[in-house]
Amino acid sequence: MAAWETNVRKVIPYTPGEQPDCADIIKLNTNENPYPPSSAVERILREIPAEILRKYPDPTSGALVTALSEYYHMPEEQIFVGVGSDDVLAMSFLTFFNGKEPILFPDITYSFYDVWAELFRIPYECQPLDENFQIRTEDYLRPCGGIVIANPNAPTGIAKELTELERIVAGNPGVIVIIDEAYIDFGGESAVCLLPKYDNLLVVQTFSKSRSLAGMRIGYAFGNQKLIKYLNDAKYSFNSYTMNTLTIAVGVEAVRDEAYFQETVGKVVAAREWTKKELLRLGFTFPDSQSNFIFASHPKYPAKELFEGLKRQGIYVRYFAKPRIDNYLRISIGTDEEMKTLIAFLEKYVGENL
């Protein structure tokens, strides 16, 4: 090892899902929305003059914050925006988790949490989900440095009851509790309604899933005014211009097109419920997902073999070679036709391997 490597901050990075650069595949591996963004997004991209790009963007992302404020009926001072929810979450880890006690999050959850904890040198402890992949509330009612819970959880898709989340928030008044709601528009009950009662709660959401804008990277958080100020102070100390001008404009239009948002979310939910019935018919088991994916396992066919078989047919799903979940596939919900193609392949696979 070279001498200069002694002081390098070394981490094992997060591994994103594959982004294959080829045509004619069915991409069900990264929980993207299968439908395009609102037509208003396309319109605004055509109308924005190139001249505006010579100037720096608004560091406050004010137009987007205002649009979110109007949509959610939330004071602007209680809204923080960032470059995807990953940026918002990373900034939150950096800002709020600086104590000596370990922060807590589930052992099976979004796999970026432990990466950020390692990167920022934050002590952490993973709390095991029970045998049904459920969060045990009692595991989070003890001294700690903070709590992060994805709801609905990923990769399981299970939504925790709001009453139980409130128990966790209320039981930890001395630390920040982050509820990561990347998938909340597809099911479950948002913790946003708890914000007036608790000053230690931060709720994070994203445009990547339900608003079809994963490629633009827009995330946001709700919290009390003091929390948001602390986040902005950290953000402006790190990079004042995190969100570009095009992204701000696109985000505003996406928020305003409520009808299209409801339409596409409804399509995804309907396809999810249809796919659940078909997977059950083929002998698969899975938690009752409230997200835009299904976390499925088959008692006879190893998940890795199914993953490889699907990939050979140009159908990409997500496989995690990790303890407790290495016999599960996370299947994103695509269009009706994509899900029918998936089921047709699995039906043939199961039939040929009886």
Side-chain angles (χ1 to χ4, degrees), residues 269-286 288 294 296-299 301 306 331 333 335-351:
V269 170
R272 180 190 72 200
E273 296 308 305
W274 178 85
T275 305
K276 286 179 182 178
K277 293 177 182 177
E278 293 299 303
L279 290 174
L280 285 173
R281 179 175 63 83
L282 296 176
F284 285 85
T285 60
F286 45 85
D288 186 22
I294 298 171
S297 178
H298 200 288
Y301 309 110
L306 283 168
I331 305 168
I333 302 301
T335 64
D336 291 347
E337 289 304 313
E338 288 174 332
M339 302 318 291
K340 288 176 182 176
T341 301
L342 169 79
I343 294 299
F345 170 83
L346 292 175
E347 193 168 40
K348 183 179 179 181
Y349 188 97
V350 169

Side-chain angles (χ1 to χ4, degrees), residues 287-316:
D288 186 22
S289 175
Q290 298 300 303
S291 59
N292 67 337
F293 58 84
I294 298 171
F295 195 53
S297 178
H298 200 288
K300 294 183 179 179
Y301 309 110
K304 187 175 182 180
E305 292 180 15
L306 283 168
F307 166 76
E308 292 170 348
L310 284 161
K311 191 173 182 179
R312 285 193 294 269
Q313 294 298 311
I315 303 172
Y316 283 64

Side-chain angles (χ1 to χ4, degrees), residues 3 49 59 66 116 128 130 184 187 215 229 267 293 303 326:
T66 297
W116 287 318
D130 69 16
I184 197 65
K229 181 184 183 302
K267 287 180 179 180
F293 58 84
D326 59 355

